[in-house]
Each structure stands twice: as structure tokens, then as C-alpha cells.
């Protein structure tokens, strides 16, 4: 394989890995605080794409601003889903939350079919993302280069929120012990909303980059990335942010590498993901990293 | 400062607090003693808004706080050192202190209180960047007290701070509580270690299966035959 192709594959793998990481974080932080697997997370991811799609398609607002607005709307959506769908079940047996999450997922998918239509739509994005840049003689599509950069910036932002802000502190405390966090003055409802907001915001960033890479969107587009990101979170150790990043990166990076180096095996790339899952769980049932730090 | 009146609390069918009433006057140290399962923690948890009451009153400086959310109760000046310390193991010592001040925003005043906690517990200062989970039991208890003080409370409540500590450390904990009280803080102390608690307290209540059965000054109860038999080993 020529060196330039190799570099392209590495960037591609890093990009996909980081995209999975962004989505996986949403699963892991929600689980960390509520012990709930938010099955609607992949559908929140899908909705973000449609927000950008309709923003760019129906309004004269520039694409970049549409993307930012879509991230805001997605955050609002995630917070609302928790408020309406999950909060009334707080304290109920875990299986109730699980059912609510599955129901929410079906609801969003069917809502999208009815309102947006089931036929795949071409996702519009600015031409600059398609521009081929040449760095040290290597040809790279701008989006391939931009994806990992944006993801890393998002992760740095996340790190700041979690470790340097009061809400982040509340989140880490509440993920260990609701009652003690409460008697310290933490408002649990606000903290949970904040958590859903962060998770949904990261999913939206991931979704927009994803759609620019694979520019065809439809109501079920979130299902498979959602499952894989969830798998990534489990591999990393559900509840752990670092774990979700590691798990997402592992899955995305190795999928791309497998296809690049063993093209004949590319049909097995999803099997490969679940092999990583099974091996991890056999060797370390709690995943690579323990819990939310 | 704190007045509890006819408080009734149920856990499902269990009548855990059966119409208890008690007073914690300003500037005093009041203790609630009783055997395991008497309802001491339930009293504190109801006061902090973690447990809902069926009926009754809890007044703080004349204002009803029963039914308020916990964060609101903290904001009004009630801090708790929970049973079993409940240090956040995943947060550093400094973050554990910071979360104690969660309701406050004045950075200068918060760091003044942090300095105060450090003066009180030099050991804690040495360990500010360690994770809470790596501290010893005694250090965790100090941190739990320091964390509660970070909210600059009017009323400090402690749930069995001596539980599970070696005798030497127990003495240290009671000395600290005494010191905090002498600095002018109102203290409501729940204990099974009746002897130490009664020696410290201005006033004391004895609780048995959800009811207050005896009350008096610490000295009176130390002399009381019933108390001596039941809690002080003869
Ligand atoms: N969460 C709970 N659910 C049901 N029963 C409880 C709960 N917490 C405490 N109890 C019961 O209430 C009674 C009082 O408990 P508690 O207040 O913890 O006593 P103490 O602190 O004096 O040991 C006990 O009978 C205990 O079993
Ligand atoms: Mg107790």
C-alpha cells in the first residue's frame, strides 16, 4: 500500500473511531447517572441530521449556522426526551426505563418516517468539505481531515465541562450517589438534564460529520451506528467516558484498517466488531475501563 | 433554630417515625441517641428532604422546610455528615470539598471556608489532590465533616460520625465536634455512642423504635438509670 493511501486510511480510521466515540459517550454518561441504556440515542443522532437537512433545504440560513442550530435543537430534543419519557419513571424498576427507552426509539423512527418520509435523502453540505487538500504530497478530502479535528475539539470541550465546571462536578458526584449529592445541594433533575444535553450535543456533532461522510440520510440511519457506539461503550466499560472513547476509537479504527488491509474480509467488518466485544467481555467483563471517573 | 413537631414517616407499611418532636436551640449542641433501627437516620434524612414525611412540621428559624427539595434545604443552612461518611470516591479531596459548597457562588468566601477546614484538618490539606476513595476511614470522616462545613451551615447535622472508627479516632471526632460547636455553630448529633454524645451535649433525646422516650440535659441522662442500663453498659 502506498504511503499516501496509508495516511488516508489512518485519518479515515481515526475519524470514524472518534465519531463512534462521540456517540458512545452519550450512552455511557446517561448510563453512568441513571443506569439506563438510552436506546433512543441512535435516533437522536438521526434527528440531528434531519435538523441540518431541513434547515439548509428550507431556509436561506447558511449551512454552518444551520449546523450549530441543529446541535442546539438536538440538545433540546435530548433534554425533552428525558423530561417527558424517562423522568416520570425515575425510581421505577430498571426494566420500566428500558421499555420507555425502546419505545422512545420506535417513536422517533416512526415520527421521522411520517414527517420526513422514508425515502433516503441526499444530505447537502458545503463544497469545501469535498475539496481535496494536498499535505506533504498526500491527497486528502477535507472532511477526512476535519472530522478527527472537530471530534478532538469536542472531546476537549467535554473534558472541560466534566472536570472544570460545577455541573460537571455535580454529574460525577450524582453518578456515584444521588442522595449524598442531594444533601450537598445538587439539583438532581438539573444534573440529569445537563447529562442528556451533553450526550445529545455530542451525538449531533457526530451525526453532522457522519452525514457529510456518508451523505444519504433516512429515518433508520441512526440504528446501526447507535448499536455500534453502544457496543463501543460496553467494550470500554459502560459508565466510563475514557472507556467510551477508547471503545469507539478501537471499533472505528480497526473496521477501517480491516477493510484497508484485508479487503477480502470487508464483508465481515461488523462481525469483527462483535468479536472485539466478546473477547473484551471474556477477558474483562467490566470493559476496558471501570466506571465514570 | 430547629423545631420538629409530630413528625410521622412511613416506609411502606413500616411506621418509622411515630410523631416525634424535638428542639435544637440556636448555638446549642443537641444529640439524639438510640439503638440500631430506632429511626435516628430517618429523622436526619427527613430533615434533609431525602425522605418524605406523612405529616408533621420541621421549622428552621420559624420557616417550614418540610417538603422542600434537598438543595433548597442546604441553601437555607442545613448541612449533613451522612452515616457512613459517603465521601465521593471518584472525586479528589478538593472536589469533595467543592461539592460541599455547591449552593454557594462567592469564590472568596468559599476559599475562606476551605482555609478554615484546612486549619481544622491539616491532614486533609496534605491530601487535596488525592481521590476521596484513597483516604483512610478516619481521614474520610474528617473530609465528610469538612465537606459539610463548606456550605457554611447554620445547623450542622451528623449521623453517627464515630461509627466504625478506632477508639483514638473517635475521641478526635468528638473533640472536633466540640470545637466546631464552640466556634458558635449549632449542632444536631445523632449517635449510638451514647456516653461520648451525652458528655458533649447540652440537651439530649433518646429514641426507641420510632418514638422519643426520654429527654433531658446531657448530664441528666448520663445519670439516668434507664439510660445507664440500656446504653451505657450498666
Ligand atoms: N429505605 C428504607 N426502606 C424501608 N425501611 C427502612 C428504610 N430505611 C430505614 N428503614 C427502617 O426504618 C427503621 C429506622 O431506620 P433508621 O432510621 O435507619 O434507624 P437508625 O438510624 O436509628 O439505625 C428501621 O426499622 C429500618 O429497617
Ligand atoms: Mg442510622
Amino acid at each position: 500500500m502506498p504511503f499516501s493511501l496509508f495516511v488516508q486510511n489512518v485519518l479515515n480510521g481515526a475519524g470514524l473511531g472518534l465519531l463512534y466515540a462521540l456517540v458512545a459517550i452519550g450512552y455511557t454518561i446517561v448510563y453512568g447517572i441513571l443506569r439506563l441504556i438510552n436506546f433512543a440515542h441512535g435516533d437522536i443522532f438521526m434527528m440531528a441530521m434531519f435538523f441540518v437537512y431541513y434547515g439548509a433545504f428550507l431556509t436561506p440560513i447558511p449551512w454552518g449556522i444551520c449546523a450549530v442550530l441543529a446541535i442546539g435543537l438536538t440538545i433540546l430534543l435530548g433534554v425533552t426526551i428525558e423530561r417527558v419519557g424517562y423522568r416520570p419513571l425515575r425510581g421505577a424498576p430498571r426494566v420500566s426505563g428500558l421499555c420507555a427507552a425502546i419505545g422512545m426509539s420506535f417513536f422517533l423512527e416512526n415520527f421521522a418516517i411520517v414527517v420526513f418520509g422514508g425515502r433516503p435523502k441526499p444530505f447537502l453540505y458545503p463544497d469545501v468539505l469535498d475539496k481535496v487538500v494536498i499535505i506533504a504530497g498526500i491527497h486528502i478530502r477535507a472532511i477526512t481531515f476535519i472530522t478527527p479535528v472537530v471530534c478532538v475539539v469536542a472531546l476537549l470541550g467535554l473534558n472541560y465541562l466534566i472536570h472544570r465546571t460545577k455541573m460537571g462536578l455535580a454529574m460525577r458526584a450524582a453518578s456515584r450517589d444521588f442522595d449524598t449529592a442531594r444533601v450537598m445541594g445538587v439539583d438532581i433533575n438539573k444534573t440529569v438534564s445537563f447529562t442528556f444535553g451533553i450526550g445529545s450535543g455530542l451525538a449531533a456533532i457526530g451525526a453532522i460529520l457522519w452525514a457529510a461522510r456518508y451523505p444519504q440520510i433516512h429515518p433508520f440511519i441512526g440504528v446501526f451506528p447507535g448499536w455500534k457506539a453502544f457496543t463501543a461503550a460496553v467494550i470500554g466499560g459502560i459508565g466510563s467516558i475514557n472507556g467510551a472513547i477508547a471503545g469507539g476509537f478501537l471499533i472505528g479504527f480497526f473496521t477501517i484498517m480491516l477493510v484497508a488491509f484485508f479487503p477480502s474480509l470487508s464483508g465481515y467488518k461488523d462481525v469483527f466488531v462483535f468479536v472485539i466485544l466478546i473477547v473484551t467481555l471474556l477477558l474483562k467483563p467490566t470493559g476496558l475501563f471501570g466506571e465514570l471517573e | 433554630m430547629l423545631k420538629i413537631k409530630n413528625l410521622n414517616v412511613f416506609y411502606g407499611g413500616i411506621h418509622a417515625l411515630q410523631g416525634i418532636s424535638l428542639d435544637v436551640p440556636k448555638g446549642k449542641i443537641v444529640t439524639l441517641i438510640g439503638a440500631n433501627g430506632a429511626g435516628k437516620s430517618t429523622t436526619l434524612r427527613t430533615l434533609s428532604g431525602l425522605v418524605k414525611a406523612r405529616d408533621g412540621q420541621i421549622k428552621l428559624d420559624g420557616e417550614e422546610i418540610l417538603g422542600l427539595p434537598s438543595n433548597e434545604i442546604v441553601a437555607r443552612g442545613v448541612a449533613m455528615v451522612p452515616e457512613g461518611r459517603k465521601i465521593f470516591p471518584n472525586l479528589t479531596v478538593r472536589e469533595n470539598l467543592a461539592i460541599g459548597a455547591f449552593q454557594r457562588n462567592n469564590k472568596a468566601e468559599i476559599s475562606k471556608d476551605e482555609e478554615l477546614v484546612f486549619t481544622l484538618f491539616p491532614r486533609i490539606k496534605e491530601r487535596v489532590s488525592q481521590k476521596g476513595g484513597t483516604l483512610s476511614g478516619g481521614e474520610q470522616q474528617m473530609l465528610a465533616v469538612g465537606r459539610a462545613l463548606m456550605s457554611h451551615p447554620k445547623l450542622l447535622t451528623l449521623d453517627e460520625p464515630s461509627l466504625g472508627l478506632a477508639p483514638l479516632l473517635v475521641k478526635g471526632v468528638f473533640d472536633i465536634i466540640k470545637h466546631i460547636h464552640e466556634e458558635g455553630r449549632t449542632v444536631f448529633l445523632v449517635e449510638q455512642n451514647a456516653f461520648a454524645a451525652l458528655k458533649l451535649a447540652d440537651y439530649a433525646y433518646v429514641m426507641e423504635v420510632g418514638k422519643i422516650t426520654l429527654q433531658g440535659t446531657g448530664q441528666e441522662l448520663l445519670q439516668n438509670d434507664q439510660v445507664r442500663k440500656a446504653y451505657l453498659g450498666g
Side-chain angles (χ1 to χ4, degrees), chain B residues 36 40-41 83 159-160:
Chain B
N36 208 3
K40 306 181 299 296
S41 297
E83 183 174 288
D159 195 345
E160 300 205 37

Side-chain angles (χ1 to χ4, degrees), chain A residues 163 166-167 169-170 172-177 179-187 292-293, chain B residues 45 48 50 70-71 74 80 86 88-91 95 98-100 102-105 131 147:
Chain A
H163 290 284
K166 268 179 102 164
M167 285 313 290
L169 182 65
R172 286 182 292 144
S175 72
R176 277 307 168 107
D177 183 346
D179 277 356
T180 306
R182 263 198 195 107
V183 292
M184 296 303 129
V186 170
D187 182 335
L292 188 62
E293 288 300 327
Chain B
R45 291 168 65 80
S48 312
L50 291 178
S70 299
N71 51 314
V74 178
M80 186 186 347
K86 302 285 170 63
F88 296 105
N90 55 331
L91 305 187
E95 288 170 336
I99 203 157
F102 198 77
Q103 282 290 329
R104 304 168 70 191
N105 290 311
K131 287 273 160 77
R147 184 179 63 177

Side-chain angles (χ1 to χ4, degrees), chain A residues 124-149:
Chain A
L124 301 175
Y125 55 90
D127 294 337
V128 289
L129 297 183
D130 266 339
K131 244 178 99 173
V132 173
V133 284
I134 303 168
I135 300 170
I138 299 164
H139 294 242
I140 301 164
R141 235 180 112 211
I143 184 71
T144 310
F145 181 74
I146 288 169
T147 301
V149 173

Side-chain angles (χ1 to χ4, degrees), chain B residues 29-228:
Chain B
I29 173 162
V30 172
T31 187
L32 176 64
I33 58 174
N36 208 3
K40 306 181 299 296
S41 297
T42 304
T43 307
L44 284 193
R45 291 168 65 80
T46 312
L47 166 61
S48 312
L50 291 178
V51 173
K52 292 211 172 359
R54 170 88 42 107
D55 53 37
Q57 291 180 343
I58 301 181
K59 292 213 158 138
L60 186 71
D61 287 333
E63 283 182 51
E64 184 63 66
I65 58 167
L66 190 61
L68 292 180
S70 299
N71 51 314
E72 185 62 32
I73 294 171
V74 178
R76 290 183 186 214
V78 179
M80 186 186 347
V81 179
E83 183 174 288
R85 311 179 255 285
K86 302 285 170 63
I87 291 305
F88 296 105
N90 55 331
L91 305 187
T92 64
V93 167
R94 172 157 272 142
E95 288 170 336
N96 268 285
L97 291 175
I99 203 157
F102 198 77
Q103 282 290 329
R104 304 168 70 191
N105 290 311
N106 187 326
K107 287 219 168 85
E109 284 184 11
I110 293 174
S111 60
K112 223 170 78 190
D113 276 323
E114 196 183 57
E115 274 315 309
L116 214 87
V117 170
F118 288 156
T119 334
L120 216 51
F121 305 112
R123 287 280 285 279
I124 294 302
K125 187 176 183 175
E126 291 165 21
R127 287 167 170 60
V128 277
S129 21
Q130 260 172 255
K131 287 273 160 77
T134 66
L135 301 189
S136 72
E139 289 164 349
Q140 289 196 2
Q141 189 62 65
M142 293 178 204
L143 180 56
V145 174
R147 184 179 63 177
L149 290 176
M150 289 300 290
S151 69
H152 205 83
K154 292 197 257 192
L155 174 65
L156 177 66
T157 73
L158 305 100
D159 195 345
E160 300 205 37
S162 71
L163 191 74
L165 295 184
L168 204 64
L169 292 175
V170 171
K171 184 175 180 310
V173 166
F174 282 106
D175 285 347
I176 286 289
I177 297 170
K178 187 162 178 228
H179 179 80
I180 292 169
H181 169 238
E182 282 165 359
E183 306 264 279
R185 201 103 44 182
T186 311
V187 177
F188 184 31
L189 170 67
V190 159
E191 261 299 341
Q192 272 196 66
N193 187 339
F195 185 67
L198 289 176
K199 265 203 335 199
L200 203 62
D202 294 310
Y203 202 78
Y205 295 87
V206 178
M207 188 174 230
E208 280 172 51
V209 282
K211 291 194 183 101
I212 304 265
T213 51
L214 266 178
Q215 54 180 289
T217 63
Q219 280 309 313
E220 280 167 10
L221 292 195
L222 273 173
Q223 308 302 326
N224 182 295
D225 284 340
Q226 256 175 290
V227 173
R228 293 173 76 98

